[in-house]
Amino acid sequence: MTVRLERSGVDELLAALWRRGYTVVGPTVAGGAIVYDELRTTAELPVGWTDEQDGGHYRLVRRDDEALFGYAVGPHSWKRYQLPPQVRLWRARLGEDGSLTELEEPTPGPRHAFVGVRSCELHAMAILDRVRNGEARPFVVAVQCGQAGGTCFCVSMGTGPTAESGYDLAITEVLDDGHYFVAEAGSDEGAEVLAEIPSAPAGDGEDAAAARAHARAAEQMGRSMDTTDIHDLLLANLEHPRWDDVAERCLTCGNCTMVCPTCFCTTVEDVTDLTGATVERHERWDSCFTIDYSHMHGGSVRNSARSRYRQWMTHKLATWFDQFGTSGCVGCGRCITWCPVGIDITEEVTAIRADQ
Ligand code: SF4
Ligand code: SF4
């Protein structure tokens, strides 16, 4: 059953989640981008903003309405909460007799409620959970896309734009028939939360307006990718000249892996204080684009941009299936937008396929 919420109902939703003990995180504007941070009220959402995206291009621009969720996705993904950029794994003090005393156990993090999760991001979260054996499930408020970004291709990857499962609540923002939200529960807890906030049953007209918003996003994809036999296509073309072409452009900066919601490479570092009396072990994000990442005895296994880009793309779109039974790409487009030279994974696939 769907219900109609007004903007005040979304404020009530945020308050209800905080009352239940969740730390509520959602989209907000900071540093010229839409990022994820703690949220208390809808005033902190990107009200009236949208994002203009293309290869190597991202700008916030004003909308001509007061949409709360009128953008695609920004540089942050929910990965920063599932797999934080840096975590301390262990900390100990060295005693005068040379013994090591562990100083504290890692404490469990807050229970999160994620607000504004897109369908492609739900798929990315499920993929990362499978890779990392994630356990603590957040409360998820999905927001159905009403418009696609310039680098989105979730339709090609079968991951969107409409979220069908994996959420506690899903809301669609309607802007072409007044301004309201159509919400539905996807779990028992989602139904309990919905019952706590002011709403009215949605009528046929309101459901039809929500369906129009979903269809509009599906028609607006900025990019597409032909994924037919993509696993075999890429693995049969490991010596294709296109890898040299992309290596001419790739800076091996690793931006694509930092913004990707499913990339999970990490490294472990041990650090001490200046006296050497306290030692800490940290896990932090790394990237298959760094020369150190594949360093083994004697040197790096992937010592060229060609080999690193090829490793990244064939892992995402081919060997990820062998390892985890799914694609490593959900078509969010972040790697295209945030690549400083605009390298486009959809174009690279098209170029390799063109020769077959
Ligand atoms: S590879 Fe690119 S488009 Fe695919 S999920 Fe990662 S960032 Fe998104
Ligand atoms: S593809 Fe783009 S973002 Fe990724 S490492 Fe190369 S230059 Fe950086």
Side-chain angles (χ1 to χ4, degrees), residues 153 260-261 312 316 329-335 345:
F153 57 102
C260 178
W312 176 73
K316 285 275 150 208
C329 175
V330 297
C332 71
R334 288 180 177 91
C335 58
I345 190 171

Side-chain angles (χ1 to χ4, degrees), residues 249-257 289 309 312 335 338-343:
R249 292 172 280 137
C250 177
L251 309 173
T252 67
C253 64
N255 261 19
C256 46
T257 56
F289 281 93
Y309 188 87
W312 176 73
C335 58
W338 295 95
C339 173
V341 292
I343 292 173

Side-chain angles (χ1 to χ4, degrees), residues 26-340:
T28 193
V29 174
I34 293 171
V35 298
Y36 296 145
D37 207 343
E38 287 186 22
L39 279 184
R40 291 273 173 186
T41 72
T42 57
E44 295 166 283
L45 290 166
V47 183
W49 288 103
T50 191
D51 46 9
E52 186 184 88
Q53 301 197 39
D54 203 346
H57 176 88
Y58 179 95
R59 292 286 180 280
L60 291 187
V61 289
R62 272 281 170 206
R63 299 174 55 95
D64 57 10
D65 57 31
E66 293 291 293
L68 306 187
F69 300 100
Y71 59 90
V73 290
H76 282 185
S77 72
W78 304 102
K79 175 172 81 172
R80 61 192 299 103
Y81 299 97
Q82 292 177 283
L83 171 61
Q86 175 154 314
V87 286
R88 190 170 70 211
L89 300 174
W90 184 76
R91 184 164 177 252
R93 179 172 288 281
L94 184 66
E96 287 184 1
D97 60 355
S99 61
L100 267 184
T101 308
E102 193 168 342
L103 289 179
E104 61 204 48
E105 294 292 331
T107 50
R111 290 165 66 218
H112 280 119
F114 295 160
V115 174
V117 182
R118 306 295 179 158
S119 179
C120 65
E121 298 188 300
L122 279 171
H123 285 263
M125 286 164 60
I127 290 169
L128 203 52
D129 269 349
R130 197 171 317 155
V131 170
R132 297 279 299 187
N133 289 325
E135 283 165 15
R137 194 186 169 281
F139 186 97
V140 172
V141 181
V143 168
Q144 308 290 21
C145 292
Q147 70 177 55
T151 55
C152 292
F153 57 102
C154 63
V155 167
S156 301
M157 306 312 287
T159 58
T162 303
E164 284 162 2
S165 62
Y167 54 78
D168 296 284
L169 286 175
I171 58 181
T172 302
E173 183 166 29
V174 175
L175 292 151
D176 61 356
D177 173 31
H179 186 193
Y180 59 88
F181 302 83
V182 176
E184 64 181 319
S187 71
D188 291 346
E189 191 180 4
E192 281 172 26
V193 172
L194 208 48
E196 288 174 23
I197 60 181
S199 67
D204 289 347
E206 286 146 344
D207 284 336
R212 277 198 306 278
H214 304 167
R216 192 168 54 236
E219 286 162 9
Q220 281 177 345
M221 291 287 118
R223 298 287 197 278
S224 65
M225 182 191 284
D226 179 356
T227 59
T228 314
D229 294 331
I230 196 158
H231 173 278
D232 295 350
L233 172 79
L234 294 181
L235 295 188
N237 282 285
L238 295 178
E239 300 306 327
H240 195 284
R242 185 71 184 189
W243 303 118
D244 294 311
D245 182 283
V246 73
E248 289 288 314
R249 292 172 280 137
C250 177
L251 309 173
T252 67
C253 64
N255 261 19
C256 46
T257 56
M258 296 294 110
V259 295
C260 178
T262 64
C263 276
F264 58 84
C265 292
T266 60
T267 190
V268 172
E269 290 175 334
D270 291 335
V271 292
T272 66
D273 64 9
L274 283 176
T275 66
T278 306
V279 60
E280 295 186 353
R281 173 162 290 179
H282 296 167
E283 182 184 30
R284 67 164 175 79
W285 287 359
D286 201 347
S287 168
C288 55
F289 281 93
T290 67
I291 192 114
D292 279 351
Y293 194 73
S294 68
H295 187 98
M296 296 184 197
H297 171 73
S300 178
V301 172
R302 293 188 284 272
N303 56 14
S304 65
R306 177 185 190 273
S307 61
R308 279 177 257 158
Y309 188 87
R310 183 180 63 182
Q311 151 64 25
W312 176 73
M313 193 171 117
T314 57
H315 189 208
K316 285 275 150 208
L317 298 172
T319 51
W320 205 293
F321 283 102
D322 303 327
Q323 225 179 338
F324 304 114
T326 174
S327 169
C329 175
V330 297
C332 71
R334 288 180 177 91
C335 58
I336 305 170
T337 299
W338 295 95
C339 173

